[in-house]
Structure formats: C-alpha cells, structure tokens
Amino acid sequence: MKKIILLSTFCFVLSAASVSAALIPCEGLSCQFCDLFKLVKNVLDFGVKIAIPIAVIAIVYGGIMILTAGASPERAKQGKDIVTAAIIGLVIVLLAWLILDTLIKLIAKGEFGPWNQLKC
C-alpha cells in the first residue's frame, strides 16, 4: 500500500510539472511585485489540492487496516494511528493555508472578499 501512495504522490508531482504554467501569473519582464504574491498563493492552493487526495488515500488505507484487523489489536491500533495522523495532517495543512492566505492578502493589500481571489 505504501507503494500505491508513493506512486499516487509521484503522479500528482508529474501533473504539477505539466500545469506549472498555470501557477505563474505573468510572463517574461512584465512581472510586477504583486505577481510574486499571486505566485505564492497559486503554489499554496496547489499544495492544498495535492494534500487533500493524499489524506483521503491515507484515511482509506487506515480504515481498511482497521476493518481487516480481525483479532489483531496491534493492526487495529496501527490503522487507527494512520487515520489519526492523516486527519491531524490535513487539519494542519488547512490551517496553514488559511493563515498564509490571510497574511498574503494583508501584505498585498488585497480585499477580503471571495476566497482565492487576490486583487492588488
């Protein structure tokens, strides 16, 4: 199962290389200081989009371990630990995204309005 998670992560990273042009908000010498904030925001948003499927895969894997534990309390505990770690990790990622998103909007003097829109 670790190989499947690793392979899934590798596929997400490869797909990231193919969409890297979508992350960069400007071209060539037309970049401004505000575009730096947009780039950081795009990278953060992309990181969250990668973290959510990885957390779901880890939760499913931990759930399968719990369901197939049978009489093995050690395997059930290991599955519970995987689910707990995945949920805690996802909460940390989402809280970090919220904090950094707010800081970027404050620094870039963006308006607090619809999510994922930075106007500066």
Side-chain angles (χ1 to χ4, degrees), residues 38-106:
K38 289 180 183 178
L39 173 66
V40 171
K41 181 154 180 38
N42 290 344
V43 170
L44 287 173
D45 292 343
F46 185 75
V48 169
K49 289 177 184 175
I50 287 176
I52 291 172
I54 291 173
V56 168
I57 290 169
I59 291 169
V60 168
Y61 177 66
I64 290 171
M65 285 186 69
I66 292 170
L67 289 174
T68 60
S72 173
E74 180 180 309
R75 187 169 168 92
K77 183 184 180 317
Q78 186 180 11
K80 182 180 174 188
D81 291 343
I82 290 172
V83 171
T84 303
I87 291 173
I88 290 172
L90 187 60
V91 168
I92 289 171
V93 166
L94 293 175
L95 285 175
W97 175 80
L98 181 64
I99 291 167
L100 290 174
D101 184 67
T102 305
L103 286 175
I104 289 171
K105 285 186 178 182
L106 284 174

Side-chain angles (χ1 to χ4, degrees), residues 26-32 35:
C26 63
E27 294 182 15
L29 298 175
S30 66
C31 294
Q32 298 176 355
D35 292 327

